[in-house]
Structure formats: structure tokens, C-alpha cells
Amino acid sequence: MSETVTESYIGSGIVYVNGRDVGNASGVKIDIEQESKTQPNYRGGGGNAAEITKVKSVKLSMTLNDFSNANLALALRGKIDVLTAGAVTNEAIVAVLDGLADTAKMIDTTVAPVVTHDSGTPTYDVDIDYVVSAGGIRALSSGAITAGQALKVSYTSKAGNALQALVESGQEVKVVIDGVNDATGKPNVLKFYRWKPSPTSGLDLIGDDFGSFDIEGGVLADSSIVATGKSKFFVRSAA
């Protein structure tokens, strides 16, 4: 008498895109769209005489919780520019009272900026005439700066990176999920050879809960895989 083997499944794991750890992923899902063709039975009794089902498309979607620019570049078909720290001298801005006059680069707020009238004098006082943030200078209506005043600001730009969104046509990447079945403790590994993510439908940028965003894309056939019985789309290895 054969033994029935069951294995419950609770999935977790680390998702790698081209070898890069994407951080916390709260969901990964495969969707397989199928297309059926049938030949009706004309010999009496109804039903079909033949039927074939073909795979129309394979989709891989994931929910990411880490808002790194590298992850957002995947979601927004973007590219990343490296930002280096450096001195910016006499950048011209126009004051917006109690509003933001944004600067060309991100300000390193640990280094005090110098804000002057566009003529060079006077020099305005931080937290009295204006406040500074990474995004720029906010002139205070209680200070000496007037609305629409042309200003010059010298500051130190902050190192980091900048995401240029929606400038790429979309890249193909390899996805590996180094997973564990938490119900059994057994490892499993999924490899998707060619994944081409589409732009995300939206991003929640301000909220009162931890953010996440969804990325979905097609799993494309890998024509380099020609061996009989080997999937061109993905493989799952399990202990």
C-alpha cells in the first residue's frame, strides 16, 4: 500500500535580481495565462472531440517593501545617476515666503549654507530669515527676506544617487528566489531566466503605514535552453 506524502507550504525567502538582493519582499506570485482550442464533436452526443491548451503568457509579480532607488528603477523603468558631494557657490533662487525655493542639488544640512541677497549683501540668518532642508531654502515671512526676492545660496551638496524615471525601454533581468518553506524548514530555489518588468501602476509616497509597491512583468522564453524536458521559463529546485 503506497504512502500518501503531503507537504504544507508557507513561503519566505530572499529575492535576487541580477544577483542584487532587493530587500524585504512581502509577496511573489506567478500567473500563467492559458488559451484553449477545441474541436466540437459532430458525431452525436455533444461535447468536444479534441482539445488543446497552450500557454499564452507567464507573469511574475512581486511586492517590494524597500524603497531603494535600485528597486524603484525596476518599477519605473529608470536609470540611476551617482551624486557626488561638492561645493555649490552662488546658486540663484527666488524666495517663496513660507514656501520652498528648491535647489538644483540635494543640500547636506549638516553643513550650514550661506544665503544672501542677489547683490551679495546682506547675508541672511538661518532659522531667523529662512530654514534649510535637503530640498532647498524656505524663506520665513517673519524674517527680512521679501516675497519674490532674488537670492544666492552657497551650500554643500549631499552624496547619493538620483533616479531618472521612465527613461528606459525596460530591461530583462534574471530573478532568483532563495527560499525556505517555513512549514517544514526545507529550502527551495526558483530561477526565472528572463523577466521583463513593466512600470508599476502607482506608488504610495506619503502615508501612515509602511509602504510597498508592486512590480509585474512577463517571464520570457530563454531560447538558449534547447535540452528536451528543460523549461525555457523557470525552474524550481526543492529539498
Side-chain angles (χ1 to χ4, degrees), residues 122-133:
T123 297
Y124 297 106
D125 296 319
V126 66
D127 294 331
I128 296 175
D129 299 315
Y130 69 91
V131 293
V132 61
S133 68

Side-chain angles (χ1 to χ4, degrees), residues 73-162:
L74 273 180
L76 297 170
R77 285 192 174 175
K79 71 170 186 173
I80 297 175
D81 296 333
V82 176
L83 303 178
T84 56
V88 179
T89 304
N90 290 335
E91 180 180 322
I93 60 173
V94 177
V96 181
L97 290 186
D98 300 323
L100 183 71
D102 63 293
T103 49
K105 298 182 178 181
M106 189 166 53
I107 297 176
D108 183 349
T109 57
T110 65
V111 182
V114 176
V115 179
T116 69
H117 189 280
D118 70 334
S119 65
T121 56
T123 297
Y124 297 106
D125 296 319
V126 66
D127 294 331
I128 296 175
D129 299 315
Y130 69 91
V131 293
V132 61
S133 68
I137 301 297
R138 185 163 64 91
L140 299 174
S141 57
S142 57
I145 300 173
T146 58
Q149 175 63 56
L151 303 172
K152 290 180 180 178
V153 55
S154 298
Y155 60 94
T156 299
S157 64
K158 193 170 183 63
N161 54 72

Side-chain angles (χ1 to χ4, degrees), residues 30 86 95 186:
I30 303 168
K186 295 180 180 179

